[in-house]
């Protein structure tokens, strides 16, 4: 989100809190969030894709809700209102094509007849899928596979490029200028994870009944749409159902959080970005001292950038009575890697733990012949590789995931060794060891950012060589 979008989000949140109550608040947040899906979507060089991509996001939301709701639930008044709001927003955004200049999308939306045809087609798909899901249990699994497949395409530069070429060919556009960045789908990683969370919980019987307005608002909630945090559906719905009035205390608390976030992102992070490690600096800088400076700048920049956006999202959400979960708790002050990951991008870590790490561990424990240390290594390494691939399917993200997976394994083995063999009773020595742990953990994480910040393994090797004066 840019400053204009943040300002508009704050203003609309205050108005919603002041003018609406109960179900009307939920309907208002749904309409604003659906509209934000279009307004926040970055420009896409493919014609009308800045309209079709947000429309597909809303279509996936509807499909997921219909597959996870009780039969006939859509006939209730609140669900019909939610359905009409979503269809109304899609139609209203498309009708802006008749204005002199686009005001919601960057480019002119497609012809209305195409949108009507798309809505009718989606209606048929939703109806058939809902009917089949009552008889075929793996319909939800198919939807999860679809979401993961789209995520893989978007996260893989090679596949994204091929997808861009495909669509350009389909639209009779030149393919020479195709790029892997052509298909920028705002917030899809978060939309996919939220949908998968709901679908998985439905399959295991843990999902409470959610109305369409509650579920759709949860998935495309405008404060957290661009960068999280990843909330849980039942917790989010509880906030929507609670009575809420914007008090002076809540306003000040939310305002402080927003101001802190703005300062982190647009003052500290943007200033650090000028000297933070990147491909150009990796190739140009030859001094070890300057390379360490650029690495430290990147480590701080990525924290202040991401945590700043999170603070802004949490603050805006509080203005409308939604208490989004914390995502960062002083991660660079933690004395070991496990505690770092329990305080860095917390909601992603918890999601991966719930839907991958714990099921994987339960599965692998069934193989009694595998040593315990091997199970720990496989669990931690595969989990961190998955987190790396979530950021992007490139060799550098794979190396970053492997770096942290191996680091967590070594720290686990050291903790097990030291627990009974090394007992420190001297308070000063305990403090020194604690500070040493913080120093070591920060530098381990910072060195891992080398893979994260750069695009090629070769550049990463160059940076490590320069950092340690090798070669």
């Amino acid at each position: 989100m840019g400053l204009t979008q943040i300002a508009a989000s704050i203003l609309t949140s205050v108005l919603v809190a002041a003018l609406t109550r109960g179900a009307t608040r939920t309907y208002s947040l749904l309409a604003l969030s659906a509209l934000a899906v279009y307004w926040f979507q970055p420009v896409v060089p493919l014609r009308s894709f800045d309209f079709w991509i947000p429309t597909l996001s809303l279509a996936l939301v509807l499909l997921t809700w219909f597959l996870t709701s009780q039969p006939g639930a859509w006939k209730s008044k609140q669900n019909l209102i939610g359905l009409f709001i979503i269809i109304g927003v899609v139609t209203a955004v498309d009708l802006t094509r008749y204005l002199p200049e686009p005001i919601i999308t960057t480019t002119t939306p497609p012809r209305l007849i195409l949108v009507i045809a798309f809505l009718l087609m989606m209606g048929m798909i939703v109806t058939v899928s809902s009917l089949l899901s009552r008889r075929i249990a793996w319909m939800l699994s198919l939807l999860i596979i679809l979401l993961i497949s789209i995520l893989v395409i978007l996260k893989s530069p090679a596949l994204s490029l091929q997808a861009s070429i495909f669509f350009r060919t389909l639209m009779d556009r030149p393919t020479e200028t195709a790029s892997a960045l052509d298909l920028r789908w705002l917030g899809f990683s978060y939309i996919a994870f939220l949908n998968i969370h709901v679908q998985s919980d439905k399959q295991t019987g843990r999902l409470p009944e959610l109305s369409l307005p509650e579920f759709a608002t949860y998935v495309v909630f405008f404060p957290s749409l661009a960068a999280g945090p990843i909330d849980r559906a039942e917790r989010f719905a509880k906030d929507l159902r609670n009575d809420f009035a914007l008090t002076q205390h809540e306003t000040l608390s939310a305002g402080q959080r927003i101001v802190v976030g703005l300062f982190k992102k647009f003052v500290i992070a943007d200033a650090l970005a000028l000297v933070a490690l990147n491909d150009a600096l990796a190739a140009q800088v030859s001094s070890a001292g300057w390379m360490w400076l650029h690495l430290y700048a990147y480590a701080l920049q990525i924290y202040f950038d991401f945590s700043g956006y999170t603070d802004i999202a949490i603050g805006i959400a509080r203005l409308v009575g939604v208490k989004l979960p914390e995502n960062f708790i002083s991660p660079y002050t933690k004395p070991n890697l496990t505690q770092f990951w329990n305080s860095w991008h917390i909601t992603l870590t918890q999601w991966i733990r719930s839907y991958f790490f714990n099921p994987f561990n339960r599965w692998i424990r069934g193989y009694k012949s595998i040593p315990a240390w091997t199970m720990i290594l496989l669990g931690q390494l595969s989990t961190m590789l998955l987190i790396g691939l979530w950021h992007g399917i490139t060799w550098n993200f794979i190396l970053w995931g492997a770096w942290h997976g191996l680091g967590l394994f070594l720290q686990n083995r050291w903790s097990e060794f030291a627990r009974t063999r090394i007992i420190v009773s001297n308070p000063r020595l305990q403090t020194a060891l604690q500070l040493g742990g913080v120093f070591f953990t920060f530098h381990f994480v910072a060195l891992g950012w080398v893979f994260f910040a750069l695009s090629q393994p070769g550049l990463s090797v160059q940076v490590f060589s320069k950092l340690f004066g090798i070669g």
Side-chain angles (χ1 to χ4, degrees):
M1 289 191 292
L3 285 172
T4 301
Q5 294 166 330
I6 291 171
S9 298
I10 295 170
L11 177 60
T12 54
S13 296
V14 171
L15 291 174
V16 167
L19 301 176
T20 64
R21 292 290 184 274
T24 307
R25 175 169 63 115
T26 302
Y27 298 144
S28 300
L29 290 175
L30 171 57
L32 289 169
S33 297
L35 198 61
V37 175
Y38 292 93
W39 194 35
F40 292 175
Q41 169 64 38
V43 63
V44 179
L46 299 171
R47 186 171 56 209
S48 298
F49 265 52
D50 57 341
F51 174 86
W52 288 119
I53 288 176
T55 303
L56 286 172
S57 293
L58 295 175
L60 287 170
V61 169
L62 286 174
L63 182 57
T64 298
W65 181 81
F66 272 95
L67 290 179
T68 54
S69 62
Q70 294 297 322
W74 66 273
K75 297 177 183 178
S76 71
K77 179 182 177 181
Q78 62 178 340
N79 292 330
L80 283 173
I81 291 174
L83 184 60
F84 288 141
I85 287 173
I86 294 173
I87 294 174
V89 168
V90 173
T91 306
V93 171
D94 186 62
L95 288 174
T96 61
R97 69 175 276 107
Y98 298 107
L99 297 175
E101 294 289 338
I103 59 172
I104 303 298
T105 55
T106 307
T107 60
T108 303
R111 289 178 296 164
L112 183 59
I113 188 64
L114 294 176
V115 176
I116 293 173
F118 175 81
L119 292 174
L120 291 174
M121 181 184 68
M122 280 306 305
M124 293 174 59
I125 292 173
V126 165
T127 301
V128 173
S129 300
S130 299
L131 292 173
L132 288 176
S133 68
R134 313 305 172 197
R135 300 180 178 87
I136 305 175
W138 43 262
M139 279 297 297
L140 282 175
S141 299
L142 286 179
L143 185 53
I144 291 174
I145 292 171
L146 172 63
L147 290 168
I148 293 174
S149 299
I150 297 173
L151 197 58
V152 168
I153 292 172
L154 295 176
K155 295 294 184 179
S156 170
L159 294 177
S160 291
L161 176 60
Q162 292 303 313
S164 175
I165 292 173
F166 170 78
F167 285 118
R168 284 174 177 270
T169 304
L170 197 65
M171 300 167 65
D172 197 24
R173 296 282 303 277
T175 59
E176 294 79 11
T177 55
S179 166
L181 299 177
D182 284 349
L183 299 177
R184 285 169 288 182
W185 193 325
L186 174 77
F188 184 79
S189 297
Y190 294 96
I191 291 172
F193 272 32
L194 296 177
N195 277 311
I196 291 171
H197 145 58
V198 169
Q199 293 155 21
S200 298
D201 282 8
K202 176 66 176 180
Q203 290 176 322
T204 56
R206 293 178 296 179
L207 180 69
E209 191 65 22
L210 302 172
S211 70
L212 175 57
E214 289 170 345
F215 175 72
T217 304
Y218 158 70
V219 177
V220 295
F221 188 47
F222 65 91
S224 57
L225 178 63
I230 304 172
D231 205 352
R232 297 192 70 85
E234 57 272 24
R235 198 219 60 77
F236 186 90
K238 184 179 178 181
D239 281 352
L240 289 183
R241 294 167 185 170
N242 289 338
D243 291 332
F244 173 75
L246 186 60
T247 63
Q248 184 179 10
H249 172 74
E250 283 288 345
T251 304
L252 288 174
S253 179
Q256 289 173 350
R257 196 68 185 262
I258 293 169
V259 169
V260 169
L262 289 171
F263 184 77
K264 281 183 178 179
K265 168 65 184 80
F266 294 100
V267 178
I268 300 178
D270 284 3
L272 288 168
L274 299 175
V275 292
L277 181 65
N278 56 39
D279 281 6
L281 288 172
Q284 295 170 3
V285 175
S286 56
S287 164
W290 279 107
M291 191 61 78
W292 278 107
L293 178 65
H294 294 309
L295 180 58
Y296 289 147
Y298 184 84
L300 295 174
Q301 185 256 336
I302 194 171
Y303 166 72
F304 283 111
D305 187 281
F306 203 173
S307 68
Y309 266 128
T310 299
D311 288 336
I312 294 167
I314 290 174
I316 294 174
R318 290 193 67 170
L319 291 173
V320 292
V322 176
K323 296 181 180 178
L324 293 175
E326 294 294 336
N327 224 13
F328 296 88
I329 304 177
S330 305
Y332 286 148
T333 64
K334 306 307 176 186
N336 60 59
L337 204 54
T338 298
Q339 291 187 35
F340 169 83
W341 275 107
N342 286 333
S343 56
W344 176 278
H345 207 336
I346 300 168
T347 57
L348 174 63
T349 305
Q350 291 174 340
W351 193 98
I352 295 291
R353 184 181 294 127
S354 296
Y355 297 103
F356 177 79
F357 181 76
N358 291 340
F360 180 85
N361 269 0
R362 287 193 294 269
W363 170 76
I364 201 170
R365 283 173 187 166
Y367 294 88
K368 305 297 183 182
S369 59
I370 300 178
W373 70 266
T374 306
M375 293 183 184
I376 294 170
L377 174 61
L378 291 175
Q380 292 177 328
L381 189 58
S382 59
T383 298
M384 294 312 302
L385 284 172
L386 181 61
I387 292 178
L389 291 170
W390 180 77
H391 287 90
I393 304 177
T394 67
W395 280 112
N396 263 33
F397 284 125
I398 291 172
L399 290 171
W400 177 78
W403 176 269
H404 277 276
L406 292 172
L408 285 166
F409 172 72
L410 292 174
Q411 184 242 309
N412 174 274
R413 295 294 85 198
W414 166 253
S415 297
E416 286 294 319
F417 172 82
R419 183 176 301 165
T420 56
R421 294 173 176 83
I422 303 176
I423 299 174
V424 179
S425 56
N426 187 314
R428 291 184 178 179
L429 183 56
Q430 287 180 340
T431 301
L433 289 173
Q434 184 84 358
L435 292 174
V438 172
F439 178 84
F440 180 80
T441 301
F442 171 77
H443 281 84
F444 183 89
V445 173
L447 289 170
W449 290 133
V450 171
F451 301 114
F452 201 95
L454 304 177
S455 61
Q456 300 293 333
L459 281 174
S460 302
V461 172
Q462 288 183 35
V463 169
F464 277 108
S465 299
K466 293 173 184 177
L467 287 171
F468 296 102
I470 302 172

